[in-house]
Amino acid sequence: MSIYPILGLLLFYFLPILSSFFICNLFSGPAPINFFQYWLARLLGSAFLAMFMHVLIVYCGPFHSAFYFYAANAVLLCLSYYFKKQSGAPSYPWREMLKWESPFLIIYVLALLSFAFHPHLIYGEKAPDFQTLNFFYRYMGGAITNPLAGGSPLRYYYLGHFLVGLWGKASFLAPDIAYFAALSLWCSFFVASVSLLLVAFEWSWKMAVPASCALLLSSNLAFVSKFISGAINFTT
């Protein structure tokens, strides 16, 4: 495999961090941010960016491209830096942030490897999901239409596909690779969301993350059984 898709997959994971620094300003105070605030900003930053870019592109013009994605994030980073300087908040705890990020990056990589070697693990509405993602790879702006019935409105949840299309183009990934990357990233984000809930109930994040991973696996035992059977067939 070429090194470029691997770099693109790593870029795909780290791109949501860009918009999260803007949300981190909501937690500015005398103390540095903690695990809960950092990951809450990570998740809210993705949602904020999706809605901001959706309004910008649908109502203002053809901005669904990597260039405008990076331009919007550059503006948000500049605003984040300005507001942080104005508030006098302490600097980010970079070493701690690296510790908070590491387990979720590992989850992302493990999910990628699982889906890459065992694509049968992905089940559900693959056809409409992939068709919608392909539409947003070609989409530049204006009305959002149904890729299966050109000209009619798209009556399907699409905000996630819209954002994944942006991340995929900004990571220079082909749509099929971006599809696997998005599913892997959602696994990581699911564990992060459950971990935040447990931390809110005064769990340590070092206990919350493994417990959330166990919940992810136990909530879908079909995934585990398919992985094991696929691994046996793959090695034999």
Side-chain angles (χ1 to χ4, degrees):
M1 183 179 181
S2 170
I3 189 64
Y4 297 109
I6 296 176
L7 294 177
L9 288 169
L10 289 174
L11 184 59
F12 189 94
Y13 176 84
F14 287 108
L15 279 179
I17 297 179
L18 297 177
S19 56
S20 67
F21 287 107
F22 182 76
I23 305 297
C24 279
N25 286 290
L26 299 175
F27 308 119
S28 59
I33 61 171
N34 53 35
F35 172 88
F36 183 88
Q37 294 168 336
Y38 173 75
W39 264 101
L40 184 61
R42 284 273 272 126
L43 299 177
L44 291 179
S46 301
F48 170 78
L49 182 67
M51 291 184 285
F52 172 76
M53 294 297 291
H54 181 270
V55 171
L56 178 68
I57 294 167
V58 173
Y59 297 104
C60 299
F63 302 126
H64 197 278
S65 66
F67 173 79
Y68 290 108
F69 173 84
Y70 283 115
N73 276 285
V75 171
L76 291 176
L77 284 173
C78 291
L79 289 174
S80 173
Y81 177 78
Y82 172 78
F83 290 139
K84 191 170 182 61
K85 293 292 287 186
Q86 290 294 109
S87 64
S91 60
Y92 293 113
W94 296 107
R95 289 186 179 180
E96 292 299 315
M97 289 164 61
L98 182 61
K99 294 179 183 178
W100 301 334
E101 197 68 56
S102 298
F104 300 98
L105 178 59
I106 293 172
I107 294 169
Y108 171 74
V109 172
L110 290 177
L112 272 177
L113 292 173
S114 300
F115 294 140
F117 288 103
H118 309 294
H120 60 279
L121 295 174
I122 304 173
Y123 51 92
E125 298 182 328
K126 283 190 286 188
D129 283 339
F130 196 62
Q131 288 162 352
T132 307
L133 179 59
N134 269 298
F135 169 79
F136 283 114
Y137 257 77
R138 300 187 303 271
Y139 175 76
M140 290 301 295
I144 296 176
T145 58
N146 191 331
L148 298 180
S152 62
L154 178 59
R155 304 185 185 280
Y156 190 74
Y157 51 88
Y158 65 81
L159 191 60
H161 303 82
F162 175 90
L163 184 58
V164 169
L166 271 175
W167 284 342
K169 288 196 284 189
S171 304
F172 310 102
L173 294 174
D176 54 343
I177 299 179
Y179 181 71
F180 283 102
L183 292 175
S184 304
L185 188 62
W186 299 150
C187 290
S188 183
F189 277 9
F190 173 83
V191 173
S193 301
V194 177
S195 298
L196 286 179
L197 181 62
L198 295 177
V199 170
F201 284 95
E202 299 185 354
W203 283 48
S204 164
W205 73 268
K206 295 179 180 179
M207 296 293 294
V209 173
S212 301
C213 290
L215 178 63
L216 174 64
L217 293 175
S218 63
S219 63
N220 194 349
L221 294 178
F223 179 95
V224 179
S225 64
K226 283 189 175 186
F227 179 84
I228 294 174
S229 61
I232 293 173
N233 293 331
F234 182 79
T235 54
T236 57

